[in-house]
Amino acid sequence: MYILKNKSALSLAIALAFSTNSHANNNEIEEVTVVAKPTSYANNVIEPAMLEQQSSVSSVLSVIDNLPGISINEGDAFGGDDWSTTITMRGFSIDGNQQQLGMTIDGIPNGGSNYGGGAKANRYLDSENLATVEVGQGTSDIASASLEALGGTFNFVSKDPSLDKSTTFAYTNGDHDATRYYIKHETGTIFDNTQAYVSYSQTDTSRWVGDGSNGGKDNQHAEAKFVSNFDALTVTGRLSYDDVSETNYNSVSLEQFAQTPDWDQLTWNWTGTPHFDQMFAEGWGTLRENTLGYLKFEYAISPSSLLTISPYYHKNSGRGDWIPPYLTSPVDDEGNPTTEGGSNAGSYGFADSVGNPLAPDANCTESLSWPWASGPGLNPACYDDSATPVMSYRHTHYNKNRLGLTADYSVTFGMHDIEAGIWYEQSERDESRDWHKVIDARVYHHFDSTPYWTQYKNTFDTDTFKWYIQDSVALGDFTLNLGAKQYLVELQKYDHFNDITSDKINSDSDVLFSAGALYQLSSSTELFASYSENFAAIKDGVLERDSSALTDIEPETAENIDFGVRYQADRLSLTATAYSIEFENRITFIAPGSDTSGIDYTIGTNGSYINVGGIESQGFELSASYMLTNEWNIYTSYTNNSSEYASDDPSSYANGELIADAGPSFRAGDDVIDAPSDMFVLSTDYYSGDFRFGVSAKYTGERLGAWTDEQTRARSEVDGYTVIDFNAGYYAEVNAGAFTSIDIAFAVTNVTDKQYLSGGTGNGSTYFIGAPRTAALTFTANF
């Protein structure tokens, strides 16, 4: 079934130590099969206790937060909002503006991690079905199938079916109206060669901010997986389905947080004043539906060679909502009213009794001040009592279909372990935006299902082909890795309303080289060093923007160097890594009217993407796991990172001088926005018979934000913070009637109820508020 390459006893020992999944119910180590190969780059897998530290309601993303170099921030403790989710590693980010880290599910590409059309791992995996997470910091596995792996990759691995037949039912109840039902049936061995399972969960939570109509999460999720063995051939199939409706969290400024640290500026009472009600929480929504299926064929051609082929299909659909406090007046290029395409000739916030737009009293200059200045046009005081307030409900629709295949061939010839493969994918993504009239803004946000304006409708086709080859040469205690890979990416846009197909845009990489060395210093210690060239293709989102000068935009690239040591003794596992990264051609979005206050709801396809130089990062990472006794373990990790901009912001500076009307921004040598210099984790887990408990603490250091003054180069600062989590559980074998065992698990995040700002939005001006103390209790019964 698998080829065991025993080139490094220490690599095997560490892989076993960190990837073995401790069963949450019986505290026994499960038997696993590991393909161990020398790794010359920094990598980690989660420890078993990291799964138990999280509630089953929590997102699978949260389990990697304690690994070195990684920071995971979500809008609440249950991962209830993709809009507010941010991930950082070694100065690279996944947030609303940037996708610089790769993500795969069982080695299958996730289709991007961006908000519009992407899907992170939590859309594909329930926490109970997660076996482990493999993290490649800086240098990713050469076979990793991702177009975003500038700073490394996360591979979320699903559990294989059990050999034993069983049924599991779990119920969770927690703070903020959290409830969750989970059921899973394992078939055991059927047809003499097959194991399978199917699971389903229903999760509901409310936003922790506010009460009443404050929104929340409604999530249905299902998974099925089978593994069949036919002598030299193993066939694995997996299908996941996820349907979720989420209410967003809003980011706040430092001043807003200082004033009200438990409020994100969204409201939960409808006032009938549109300028206020544009912040009504339930009008800020994310709806997503994801289906991902794959088949994996693993054929052992000989005892020393393995061919793996994995075709897959992914369908993504969804919608993002906002409620602008006005109606628009769409017109075509000749100024005639239109319902499709065109532009907005003007907006109005009030109408007469038959729907005609009204202008404010010419003598009225008053303005509402919250959430930002309304101007007279949106201020009810500037109209007579007969004026009717009007609003829109704006929908952005996302649809994506991906069909692809990965193929990998590995073979051993004497001292050579050779791996080669390809990744091919065809992707079609549709995006459109329509505006619906709110029926009566004085009453609620109920809207007319027929849009009065469809602002744009575009289709993006992306073809991706990647090839790679790598040779690992074993020379006694010394192993040398040499590899090469290349991405060939082609993008095209079709504008439905203008019936225009863009030229095909090639976003190909050069041939990217990687090299590494691994030295077995002793039976317990190995040294490693690696160099890799990483790449992120131009994304189809760049083609959305009519002002982007595509001929001037270069794909993003990064060069990564690692030096490190791994140590594995009977009770102690330790890894230390120093790294240096040069990130070039960073792409960012420049919005028109970026200096205006408030949200520009009508932006459409305006604005542009440009390259804004690079980032240079250096740092080191430490992680250690020590078994004090057979029941008591301590884990710690520390990260020190320094990330600096390599050049001035070209949108703000020319020839070293600030451009007229431009605001202060980054200059060469400045620290990167929202990149903490220090992160420290300390956790301990104790097992006594059927009882278990654990405590985990994580410190995130101070971060720098946007520039507030060009002359002094003063910047905003975000305070560091420490969050402490606690978990406890009890497992019992009952063997009474239909029951075989039960388990009770209790988890509390942010035990001290620390108020802090977590992930930023990438601009250094606004941040999401960290989740308060949140507890959840899970009861699990096995049949």
Side-chain angles (χ1 to χ4, degrees), residues 422-686:
I422 61 169
W423 167 38
Y424 178 70
E425 179 182 286
Q426 289 183 322
S427 171
E428 181 182 88
R429 183 175 73 87
D430 296 318
E431 182 175 321
S432 63
R433 176 168 295 165
D434 50 42
W435 295 66
H436 300 252
K437 183 182 184 298
V438 170
I439 295 172
D440 191 339
R442 296 168 298 184
V443 177
Y444 204 54
H445 58 65
H446 299 302
F447 59 88
D448 188 336
S449 60
T450 301
Y452 70 86
W453 182 31
T454 301
Q455 189 172 2
Y456 63 84
K457 183 178 181 181
N458 297 318
T459 296
F460 304 90
D461 293 319
T462 304
D463 290 342
T464 301
F465 181 80
K466 172 191 176 182
W467 63 263
Y468 60 89
I469 186 169
Q470 178 174 269
D471 185 12
S472 296
V473 185
L475 304 169
D477 292 331
F478 182 78
T479 301
L480 177 66
N481 298 319
L482 297 171
K485 61 186 177 183
Q486 186 179 26
Y487 296 86
L488 304 174
V489 183
E490 189 175 78
L491 305 94
Q492 191 170 41
K493 168 188 171 182
Y494 175 63
D495 182 335
H496 289 257
F497 292 156
N498 293 313
D499 193 24
I500 296 174
T501 301
S502 72
D503 293 335
K504 291 185 177 180
I505 306 299
N506 290 324
S507 182
D508 300 344
S509 73
D510 296 330
V511 176
L512 306 172
F513 296 100
S514 60
L518 184 73
Y519 180 65
Q520 194 75 42
L521 189 64
S522 67
S523 60
S524 60
T525 306
E526 64 185 22
L527 307 177
F528 64 89
S530 68
Y531 167 81
S532 70
E533 297 174 343
N534 299 336
F535 170 83
I538 296 174
K539 299 173 178 64
D540 62 17
V542 175
L543 276 67
E544 290 181 8
R545 305 300 167 176
D546 300 332
S547 299
S548 296
L550 297 176
T551 57
D552 298 331
I553 298 177
E554 297 289 336
E556 297 172 313
T557 60
E559 294 182 1
N560 187 87
I561 298 174
D562 285 343
F563 293 96
V565 58
R566 299 187 186 96
Y567 176 82
Q568 171 75 35
D570 290 340
R571 292 187 174 273
L572 174 65
S573 299
L574 183 148
T575 301
T577 306
Y579 60 86
S580 175
I581 304 169
E582 290 191 8
F583 173 23
E584 297 180 343
N585 300 327
R586 186 168 64 96
I587 297 175
T588 193
F589 175 63
I590 306 298
S594 297
D595 57 344
T596 60
S597 61
I599 299 173
D600 183 2
Y601 297 105
T602 62
I603 186 172
T605 58
N606 297 322
S608 61
Y609 284 91
I610 62 171
N611 292 113
V612 291
I615 292 174
E616 297 177 350
S617 300
Q618 295 82 35
F620 63 88
E621 300 162 342
L622 302 172
S623 64
S625 180
Y626 182 66
M627 292 294 299
L628 290 172
T629 68
N630 291 335
E631 297 83 20
W632 190 6
N633 177 72
I634 292 179
Y635 171 85
T636 187
S637 69
Y638 173 72
T639 302
N640 178 269
N641 178 76
S642 174
S643 296
E644 298 180 349
Y645 294 104
S647 60
D648 295 351
D649 182 354
S651 66
S652 291
Y653 301 95
N655 300 318
E657 299 295 330
L658 187 67
I659 298 173
D661 298 326
S665 185
F666 63 84
R667 306 203 68 167
D670 286 343
D671 289 339
V672 169
I673 286 174
D674 205 27
S677 297
D678 299 284
M679 291 188 292
F680 176 69
V681 172
L682 180 63
S683 67
T684 183
D685 296 277
Y686 181 77

Side-chain angles (χ1 to χ4, degrees), residues 357-374:
L358 294 177
D361 188 322
N363 297 319
C364 182
T365 59
E366 298 176 9
S367 177
L368 301 174
S369 60
W370 183 89
W372 42 76
S374 68

